[in-house]
Amino acid sequence: MALKRKAAAALCAAAVLLAIPPTASATPDTHGTLARENFDRLPLGPVSEGRGWVGDTAGGTLTVVPDGTGHGRELRIHTEGNGRAFLVFDKLSPPGNSFWGRVRLRVGAFPTAPDWAHWTLAEASGADSPTLVRPLGGQYAPTDGGNFWGVGSDLGPTGDWTSWKTSSPAVGGSWQCVEFHLDARDNRVTVYSDGVQRSDLTVSTKVHGGTSDDFVFPAFDKLKLGWQLYQADPTPSSYDIRMDDIALSTRRVGGCGSGG
């Protein structure tokens, strides 16, 4: 009987040890996830915050609407003139100051006036530096008859620039799955569209669209996703953007097609 009691006690102790959860970690989860949002858990209608983000609007609105399938929800971003409307993920702390982003998006129409109208869909920043890093954006170039995607920056030592490329035209009215990688090892920004790397859009410490100074990342703690056009009285006078399936991670999330 004594032996049976000892065995039972040992089994109970082992069960207790197994039930104790491991020590919590401050690092991202096992998949490297920093943030996710697909809008399906948010109520339909105007929205000002979600899982890990808050809204930032001026002359614009954020509204959760049914998606095209009728089975889920997506975000409608609307701005008037040169207004703005962003989701702001303001509690980022990516390990190594590097991270991946993925978002499905559709821009209804891009500007056709004024000349050189400049627009942004994603902007990363940090409190330690004024430098703004814009992995998703572009510009209307009248000399080449259209809008073109380009990585850009502002307020840092390299100045205000958007390195748009005619090899990456921006066409409104259709969905695309876009990814970007901010890699602090070489202050490198890499962009992918529908799973395919757009190597023409890559910028880095020495290769960018600004002054001869080095392009250097801030210590990222914030990412804005949405829309802003900076010039007044644009054509068209208002803009509608849809976004869905947002993911920020220490690893490439994928799910965008041939390269995802």
Side-chain angles (χ1 to χ4, degrees):
M1 284 295 291
L3 258 156
K4 286 182 181 178
R5 282 198 297 270
K6 284 181 182 178
L11 285 170
C12 288
V16 169
L17 285 172
L18 287 171
I20 297 172
T23 304
S25 171
T27 58
D29 66 27
T30 55
H31 300 290
T33 302
L34 299 172
R36 281 186 180 270
E37 181 62 88
N38 63 10
F39 307 102
D40 290 345
R41 297 184 180 182
L42 294 175
L44 295 173
V47 62
S48 60
E49 61 182 357
R51 289 180 293 175
W53 62 268
V54 295
D56 172 24
T57 62
T61 57
L62 303 171
T63 308
V64 176
V65 298
D67 69 15
T69 68
H71 300 294
R73 298 177 181 186
E74 63 195 32
L75 185 70
R76 179 193 182 211
I77 299 163
H78 179 83
T79 62
E80 294 287 336
N82 61 342
R84 71 174 186 269
F86 285 105
L87 289 73
V88 184
F89 296 87
D90 58 357
K91 293 179 175 59
L92 293 182
S93 183
N97 202 38
S98 302
F99 67 98
W100 288 81
R102 184 203 66 196
V103 58
R104 292 182 63 244
L105 61 86
R106 187 189 74 178
V107 179
F110 290 95
T112 56
D115 290 352
W116 308 108
H118 172 210
W119 39 271
T120 294
L121 285 152
E123 180 181 275
S125 60
D128 70 316
S129 166
T131 300
L132 303 174
V133 178
R134 293 167 175 158
L136 298 180
Q139 199 157 17
Y140 170 61
T143 52
D144 293 276
N147 281 268
F148 303 96
W149 292 98
V151 173
S153 182
D154 196 7
L155 300 181
T158 56
D160 180 3
W161 51 272
T162 301
S163 188
W164 55 269
K165 303 294 182 180
T166 56
S167 50
S168 290
V171 181
S174 61
W175 282 94
Q176 59 185 304
C177 187
V178 181
E179 302 165 273
F180 55 87
H181 183 206
L182 304 180
D183 187 347
R185 291 174 298 179
D186 190 23
N187 301 290
R188 182 177 297 268
V189 182
T190 311
V191 179
Y192 300 74
S193 178
D194 294 326
V196 178
Q197 182 177 342
R198 301 311 306 253
S199 57
D200 55 336
L201 300 180
T202 301
V203 304
S204 59
T205 308
K206 300 291 185 183
V207 181
H208 52 78
T211 69
S212 59
D213 297 281
D214 285 354
F215 173 53
V216 179
F217 288 170
F220 294 124
D221 59 22
K222 182 186 299 183
L223 177 73
K224 298 167 66 174
L225 290 173
W227 175 265
Q228 183 167 11
L229 192 154
Y230 302 95
Q231 288 71 34
D233 301 317
T235 302
S237 60
S238 63
Y239 295 86
D240 282 285
I241 295 87
R242 301 294 177 100
M243 285 191 175
D244 203 355
D245 298 327
I246 295 168
L248 308 178
S249 178
T250 61
R251 308 175 183 179
R252 188 176 183 186
V253 179
C256 274
S258 61

